[in-house]
Amino acid sequence: MPDSIPSPSPSITRNKKTQWPLTFLLWILLPVFPGVIFYQLDSFDPGSYPAHELVHRKPIFVPKRNSHMLRGAEEIGKGNLFAPEDLAYEPKSGVIYTGCGDGWIKRVTVNESAADILVENWINTGGRPLGLVHGHYGEVVVADAFKGLLNITADGEVHLLTDEADGIKFKLTDAVAIAEDGTLYFTDASYKYSFNDFIWDFFEGRPYGRLLQYDPSSKQTKVLVKDLYFANGVAVSPDQDFVIFCETPLSKCKKYYIKGEREGSVDIFVENLPGIPDNIRYDGEGHYWIALSTELTYAWELAQKYPFLRKIMAIMERYVGRPHVEKNSGVVAVDLEGKPTEHYYDQDLTLISSGIKIGNHLYCGSIRYPYILRLNLNQNPASSSDAAAA
């Protein structure tokens, strides 16, 4: 036996030193090659979001916040509601109407005690009811993602009002509001992508949304504003001067003037929201409540600026699946001028799609949860101290 193990020759040592980084580099690059091939072969071609729409993206300051709204929230109608997206309150009967993912429009009787709240089936549209509004004659008007704009009479008869404009069929009828004269204002979020494929509209980054008007007397449908980025929630101002609508991926709401000197023009109502807006509701007390499905993340800001990142996200969506990164969902209240006043949200809350203040409570619908979320605002108020700490 030799007294010691001989040392490797210098040439062998050099070979091992050069082989190690080469092996490591191959280990890193090998998974990249299939990704590059997928990227080159995939036909999805995202567009560029307009640079002027993406400036000043720092979320607007909200003076009062409740960042832990789940601590005091109740789950209303749990097990009897499947993804109640929008909420329309009828004060005379004390009933909330909501459209669910199984096609049912449900009626939810509002009571102080969660145990006494009654949920009943009303009408199944056979589609996906999203936005709802009570008409002036006992009817409920529904923006059904698959069917179009529907009128449901007090007796439960379903009538199609409209499902196209300017020769283009609606693909994702989304939200609806009614003016005092009976005119209906609604959105087709995307005339290219359906409700089940809505994320692709975000990825593509092209303006397929429209704000529309339906005149019940003439039965005419008119496009008011086109080339919108996923047009969403709608509300008519209390003075009937303008209509507010949300552009979801841009984190802003705009207003379209329906009378006065500026009739037909568009202006910003509120921008740089602290999240991605969905439905908007006026509470009759000087505030609009805008649902935020998730917070505005730096990753999404980058993806909006760089189409190649959205193409990568689209490939992952198609072949791998999209990670659930939504958080800090909730509702923000703004005054008649669009200035934020209160923000209710929670890190563990996702995909809140509507918020409406009824009495002392905030009621929230969603496209995820099997219930309506209710928060007593007197017992769980937003505070300036919480805003300062954020």
Side-chain angles (χ1 to χ4, degrees):
M1 294 289 290
D3 295 334
S4 62
I5 299 174
S7 301
S9 66
S11 62
I12 294 175
T13 303
R14 284 195 299 272
N15 287 338
K16 286 185 176 180
K17 287 182 178 179
T18 55
Q19 286 174 359
W20 185 86
L22 179 60
T23 302
F24 180 75
L25 184 61
L26 288 173
W27 182 77
I28 293 294
L29 291 179
L30 278 175
V32 175
F33 293 142
V36 172
I37 293 172
F38 270 121
Y39 186 91
Q40 295 295 333
L41 295 180
D42 196 285
S43 60
F44 185 68
D45 180 31
S48 297
Y49 280 97
H52 70 277
E53 295 278 18
L54 304 179
V55 296
H56 309 305
R57 297 301 296 275
K58 183 178 180 180
I60 196 169
F61 175 72
V62 185
K64 292 184 178 182
R65 300 188 184 194
N66 177 342
S67 60
H68 303 283
M69 66 175 290
L70 281 177
R71 291 180 182 175
E74 301 172 280
E75 298 171 355
I76 303 299
K78 188 173 183 178
N80 295 314
L81 298 169
F82 174 51
E85 199 266 355
D86 191 20
L87 309 177
Y89 180 58
E90 210 292 299
K92 291 182 179 180
S93 62
V95 171
I96 293 174
Y97 287 69
T98 183
C100 297
D102 53 7
W104 279 102
I105 295 176
K106 306 258 187 169
R107 296 194 289 201
V108 183
T109 303
V110 175
N111 290 300
E112 283 297 320
S113 171
D116 295 331
I117 287 180
L118 176 65
V119 178
E120 59 179 333
N121 294 339
W122 184 46
I123 297 295
N124 194 308
T125 68
R128 204 322 176 182
L130 296 176
L132 306 94
V133 67
H134 291 283
H136 299 326
Y137 305 101
E139 75 277 19
V140 175
V141 180
V142 180
D144 189 297
F146 302 138
K147 300 285 187 175
L149 195 66
L150 307 177
N151 181 294
I152 304 178
T153 68
D155 296 328
E157 296 180 2
V158 181
H159 303 281
L160 175 66
L161 297 178
T162 177
D163 62 358
E164 67 174 60
D166 290 352
I168 301 176
K169 286 276 189 178
F170 308 152
K171 195 78 172 182
L172 208 173
T173 325
D174 201 334
V176 60
I178 188 169
E180 289 179 354
D181 64 2
T183 302
L184 296 167
Y185 298 92
F186 65 105
T187 52
D188 180 24
S190 174
Y191 60 75
K192 181 175 181 179
Y193 295 102
S194 68
F195 177 79
N196 294 328
D197 300 321
F198 76 90
I199 193 64
W200 291 90
D201 190 279
F202 286 41
F203 289 158
E204 183 169 340
R206 289 190 172 91
Y208 297 121
R210 297 179 290 175
L211 174 68
L212 305 111
Q213 176 194 81
Y214 178 80
D215 185 341
S217 58
S218 66
K219 297 180 173 32
Q220 296 297 307
T221 306
K222 179 181 179 182
V223 178
L224 300 180
V225 187
K226 61 182 180 178
D227 299 331
L228 298 173
Y229 292 89
F230 205 84
N232 212 321
V234 184
V236 181
S237 65
D239 59 7
Q240 307 292 293
D241 280 351
F242 54 82
V243 175
I244 301 169
F245 61 92
C246 300
E247 282 188 284
T248 297
L250 301 181
S251 294
K252 65 177 61 178
C253 299
K254 296 178 179 178
K255 54 185 177 181
Y256 175 86
Y257 290 89
I258 56 178
K259 69 178 184 180
E261 295 181 357
R262 301 195 59 186
E263 181 178 352
S265 63
V266 179
D267 202 356
I268 298 294
F269 179 65
V270 58
E271 57 186 342
N272 303 322
L273 288 164
I276 309 298
D278 199 322
N279 284 300
I280 177 171
R281 286 278 177 184
Y282 181 63
D283 63 6
E285 300 174 353
H287 290 88
Y288 298 95
W289 295 79
I290 307 171
L292 304 176
S293 60
T294 182
E295 69 177 4
L296 180 63
T297 65
Y298 181 64
W300 175 240
E301 289 186 77
L302 283 178
Q304 284 185 294
K305 292 179 181 178
Y306 302 107
F308 81 91
L309 291 177
R310 279 182 276 119
K311 182 166 183 175
I312 293 173
M313 294 168 72
I315 292 172
M316 290 180 63
E317 174 82 11
R318 180 173 291 153
Y319 297 106
V320 181
R322 175 165 34 101
H324 294 288
V325 296
E326 299 90 354
K327 63 177 183 178
N328 285 322
S329 182
V331 184
V332 64
V334 302
D335 64 19
L336 295 177
E337 302 299 321
K339 296 178 181 178
T341 59
E342 302 169 62
H343 186 191
Y344 296 86
Y345 61 103
D346 196 285
Q347 182 174 348
D348 295 325
L349 200 56
T350 66
L351 301 179
I352 291 298
S353 53
S354 58
I356 180 171
K357 183 176 180 289
I358 303 173
N360 297 323
H361 291 88
L362 173 62
Y363 291 79
C364 299
S366 80
I367 58 172
R368 177 180 180 181
Y369 301 116
Y371 49 78
I372 293 171
L373 203 66
R374 181 171 77 169
L375 184 71
N376 188 310
L377 299 181
N378 287 343
Q379 297 175 3
N380 305 275
S383 68
S384 54
S385 59
D386 198 359

